[in-house]
Amino acid sequence: MATASGSSAAFEDAAYYDALIDWPKRLAREEPFFKKLFEPIGVRRLLDAACGTGRHAAMFHAWGIEVEATDLSAGMIELGRRMYGELPTLRWVQRSFTEPTASPGTFDAAVCLGNSLGLAQEQADRDRACASLWDALRGGGLLIIQVLNLWHLPDGPTQWQKYVRVERGGRDHVLLKALHRTGDRGHVDLVDLHLLPEGGIAHRIEPACFAGIEAEQLCGRLRELGAERITCYGGYDGSPYARTTSADLIVVAHKPTSS
């Protein structure tokens, strides 16, 4: 996930962030979607922007794809490097997704997942991120952006989405994730609870705010950049995007071969 500067720094504790996600289940659900898009264009080189702890990057690399995984959070990059290693075909780079890659025009595909684009609060930052990702692609390349569809949430009520029990520093912790919407902004709260030896409960809260992104606005920006074909999905099952009911907005844009 990304902040306004394109990092996962909204959640500074990388292991905390990772513990809240059932990664085997999530990747198994998403894998067919990516393979269906990658195989027709022969993706061999990929940019994973705002990569978080690198779970997607590692999955793509396991398919034989050369991956550049980037994130502004040093903690996220370090955890990804520690878990999966630094290889000639799997590189970890600390960089905002608004900054250009050192190898523009060379990637077959670029992805920005996990609601990362939505955590950029300013439209100008989101526009720069789109331009940076687009410039990274070769002609005929593919851009995939996934964000949480804020508009399917009711305005106001808090939804407690997840809770997990983990051991950290020799103590039992309960990690909670809450989500709520206020107008055109979403709010995520990650809560860490643990019992103190002397009694009582200690807690830590890591909040993050994200912007609601309209499909037409995002697609309009990609058209300005020269997107040839754009498809909006409402989930990794390939269902069409519906503003009021889809949990996700996944935008897939094709770069013209002449670019």
Side-chain angles (χ1 to χ4, degrees), residues 84-155:
Y84 303 112
E86 180 84 38
L87 304 167
T89 54
L90 179 59
R91 295 181 301 281
W92 305 93
V93 181
Q94 187 181 353
R95 186 178 73 232
S96 166
F97 60 10
T98 62
E99 300 174 27
T101 176
S103 305
T106 63
F107 292 91
D108 303 309
V111 301
C112 185
L113 310 173
N115 198 39
S116 296
L117 189 65
L119 283 162
Q121 296 298 305
E122 302 298 329
Q123 183 63 47
D125 287 324
R126 296 194 291 273
D127 287 346
R128 281 195 292 271
C130 288
S132 176
L133 292 166
W134 194 252
D135 289 345
L137 295 173
R138 63 163 172 83
L142 185 70
L143 173 60
I144 303 173
I145 297 174
Q146 178 269 329
V147 296
L148 178 68
N149 177 35
L150 182 66
W151 318 114
H152 92 288
L153 297 174
D155 196 338

Side-chain angles (χ1 to χ4, degrees), residues 20-36 56 59-60 63 113-114 146-148 161-162 177 233-239 246-250:
L20 280 164
I21 301 173
D22 184 342
W23 282 106
K25 181 178 180 181
R26 175 172 171 174
L27 294 179
R29 175 172 57 89
E30 298 177 6
E31 178 180 332
F33 180 86
F34 290 111
K35 283 190 171 180
K36 186 176 181 179
H56 286 96
M59 178 180 73
F60 299 142
W63 298 349
L113 310 173
Q146 178 269 329
V147 296
L148 178 68
Q161 288 191 312
K162 298 179 182 178
K177 179 184 176 184
Y233 298 97
Y236 287 104
D237 60 355
S239 58
S246 295
D248 296 304
L249 167 62
I250 306 173

Side-chain angles (χ1 to χ4, degrees), residues 199-211:
I201 298 176
H203 73 278
R204 178 168 62 99
I205 300 176
E206 293 193 31
C209 177
F210 63 93

Side-chain angles (χ1 to χ4, degrees), residues 196-254:
L196 297 172
E198 64 274 17
I201 298 176
H203 73 278
R204 178 168 62 99
I205 300 176
E206 293 193 31
C209 177
F210 63 93
I213 294 179
E214 294 285 5
E216 189 50 47
Q217 186 175 42
L218 179 54
C219 292
R221 175 58 176 155
L222 296 175
R223 291 189 194 99
E224 290 175 357
L225 293 168
E228 187 176 63
R229 289 185 290 126
I230 303 175
T231 306
C232 294
Y233 298 97
Y236 287 104
D237 60 355
S239 58
Y241 172 71
R243 186 180 186 271
T244 58
T245 58
S246 295
D248 296 304
L249 167 62
I250 306 173
V251 175
V252 178
H254 297 261

